[in-house]
Amino acid sequence: MQAKIISTGSYVPKKIVSNKDLEAIMDTSDEWIKTRTGIENRRISETENTSVLCGKAALDILGKATISADKVDLIIVATMSPDYLSPSTACLVQDYIGASKSMAFDVSAACSGFIYALSVAEKMLSSGKFHYALVLGGEVMSKIIDWDDRGTAVLFGDGAGGVLLENTPSQGSFIAEDIHSDGSRGLALTTGALPVSNPYSQNEKNPADIHLKMEGRAIFDFAIRSVPKSIKAVVETAGIDLSDVERILPHQANSRIIQAIAKKLKIPFEQFALNISDYGNTSAASIPILLDELVSSGDLVLGTGKKIILTGFGGGLTWGSILIRI
Ligand SMILES: O=C(O)C1CCN(c2ccc(-c3cc(CO)ccc3Cl)cn2)CC1
């Protein structure tokens, strides 16, 4: 029995905020944002929290697969912007879609979250104990960014996407993976700081702080150093060449990073899929939104067996690639 991707889906909030809109509320420019990041617009949630974005993406996925929610027995949500610390966003999604027979939990791996969640789901399905798994990446980054910090506020957007995996006797989707973390550099990108605080603690000086903080240059350089190695690792494990890979779907953090990765790998930039201009950096949601966009447009067709690489990188630090046949 092997896990196979049988459906994709996504959902983004309807409000579009352009770079020009941001010029009106902070000291930035369309020119700077576009040239330094590739971002032109982002979606911003006005009322829908992460569980609702994920729930609507899940309904999109299930609708396309014509599978009812009560058939789903595993829900994993990758997010760094949950509705609550508890209950998990996955449990809220279970309630939202009525997946009464499912177990549900969240994965916290920042912008590599969808990669981590896919890897975990595949292992759980191959145990034979689960048949249908919803694997979602969803974020409302707009609630955790510091809107007074133009260095980060212009980078992020909100959205959700995911896939439905089925445990099948036929050939599965998963060919190879290369997944890492380095906790020693974890403080280079933080959000939701919850320091010790109680009548007996000595922590008055550092209160809880929801805001995302990032050592941008350090993360940027880490990505350019680590991602090419991870992509190379999965093709080597599979015994194929990069030229055998139809498309590479990287986390949509920054278009200049993707250009640098293509250059390091000596492959055409066009082999990489890119939609950061429309959504900004949606963290764990970026890869599944991109995958669904490519499938929905017919650019990628499920069931063709074509090889693609999904690759995430970000807070943790975490990074990882999965080579799949779709
Ligand atoms: O001055 C410039 O050009 C700035 C330099 C800093 N930039 C950055 C830096 C880091 C990220 C980033 C963020 C995450 C978190 O999801 C994950 C992975 C990455 Cl590589 C995105 N942009 C923007 C342009």
Side-chain angles (χ1 to χ4, degrees):
M1 298 297 277
Q2 296 186 22
K4 188 174 186 179
I5 295 176
I6 60 168
S7 181
T8 67
S10 60
Y11 175 80
V12 291
K14 68 179 187 317
K15 183 167 183 61
I16 298 174
V17 175
S18 68
N19 293 345
K20 286 284 183 204
D21 293 329
L22 293 182
E23 281 181 353
I25 63 167
M26 66 180 76
D27 179 17
T28 188
S29 77
D30 176 43
E31 172 63 19
W32 187 94
I33 301 169
K34 223 163 17 185
T35 53
R36 305 296 290 250
T37 70
I39 301 167
E40 298 182 35
N41 296 292
R42 73 281 295 147
R43 300 299 177 105
I44 298 295
S45 178
E46 295 166 283
T47 59
E48 297 162 316
N49 213 334
T50 307
S51 63
V52 172
L53 302 188
C54 289
K56 290 184 174 180
L59 293 175
D60 183 37
I61 296 164
L62 294 172
K64 289 170 185 170
T66 59
I67 298 279
S68 61
D70 64 2
K71 293 284 187 307
V72 174
D73 39 22
L74 175 61
I75 301 172
I76 303 178
V77 169
T79 186
M80 67 186 290
S81 55
D83 293 34
Y84 302 89
L85 287 177
S86 184
S88 69
T89 300
C91 282
L92 298 173
V93 170
Q94 175 191 22
D95 178 45
Y96 188 89
I97 66 173
S100 54
K101 299 190 182 68
S102 173
M103 69 171 276
F105 61 96
D106 289 358
V107 159
S108 173
C111 310
S112 310
F114 187 69
I115 299 297
Y116 274 59
L118 268 183
S119 177
V120 168
E122 191 244 339
K123 309 301 181 294
M124 290 180 76
L125 282 180
S126 56
S127 74
K129 290 190 170 60
F130 302 90
H131 190 73
Y132 286 114
L134 269 174
V135 184
L136 304 162
E139 304 286 7
V140 177
M141 296 301 286
S142 58
K143 70 182 183 184
I144 61 171
I145 53 181
D146 178 353
W147 286 92
D148 292 328
D149 173 12
R150 67 180 183 170
T152 51
V154 303
L155 303 179
F156 296 97
D158 303 340
V163 298
L164 181 64
L165 300 183
E166 180 180 17
N167 208 12
T168 65
S170 60
Q171 190 177 50
S173 300
F174 294 77
I175 304 171
E177 68 180 33
D178 172 80
I179 302 178
H180 305 272
S181 64
D182 176 2
S184 73
R185 294 183 283 171
L187 299 188
L189 197 165
T190 62
T191 188
L194 290 174
V196 173
S197 175
N198 60 58
Y200 308 96
S201 65
Q202 320 294 325
N203 259 342
E204 292 69 31
K205 59 183 180 309
N206 54 342
D209 181 358
I210 183 81
H211 288 147
L212 182 144
K213 299 182 185 332
M214 181 173 75
E215 293 170 17
R217 193 72 250 163
I219 301 285
F220 200 99
D221 295 342
F222 139 74
I224 293 173
R225 215 177 22 256
S226 306
V227 172
K229 291 177 194 163
S230 182
I231 290 171
K232 274 190 198 158
V234 289
V235 294
E236 280 162 14
T237 303
I240 63 170
D241 187 81
L242 268 171
S243 57
D244 302 318
V245 176
E246 181 76 18
R247 293 304 278 283
I248 301 173
L249 282 63
H251 166 48
Q252 301 293 294
N254 184 294
S255 58
R256 291 191 300 127
I257 286 177
I258 297 167
Q259 284 164 1
I261 292 169
K263 193 170 172 200
K264 263 200 150 178
L265 290 171
K266 299 185 175 64
I267 59 177
F269 179 59
E270 293 66 35
Q271 199 168 350
F272 287 82
L274 206 62
N275 69 357
I276 191 169
S277 59
D278 295 329
Y279 302 106
N281 180 338
T282 56
S283 187
S286 82
I287 294 171
I289 288 171
L290 182 60
L291 176 60
D292 183 50
E293 207 166 60
L294 292 168
V295 170
S296 300
S297 68
D299 195 335
L300 291 178
V301 180
L302 296 182
T304 55
K306 291 235 190 289
K307 294 181 182 68
I308 63 173
I309 292 176
L310 312 179
T311 193
F313 47 94
L317 298 179
T318 60
W319 66 102
S321 300
I322 298 183
L323 173 65
I324 56 178
R325 62 172 68 83
I326 54 164

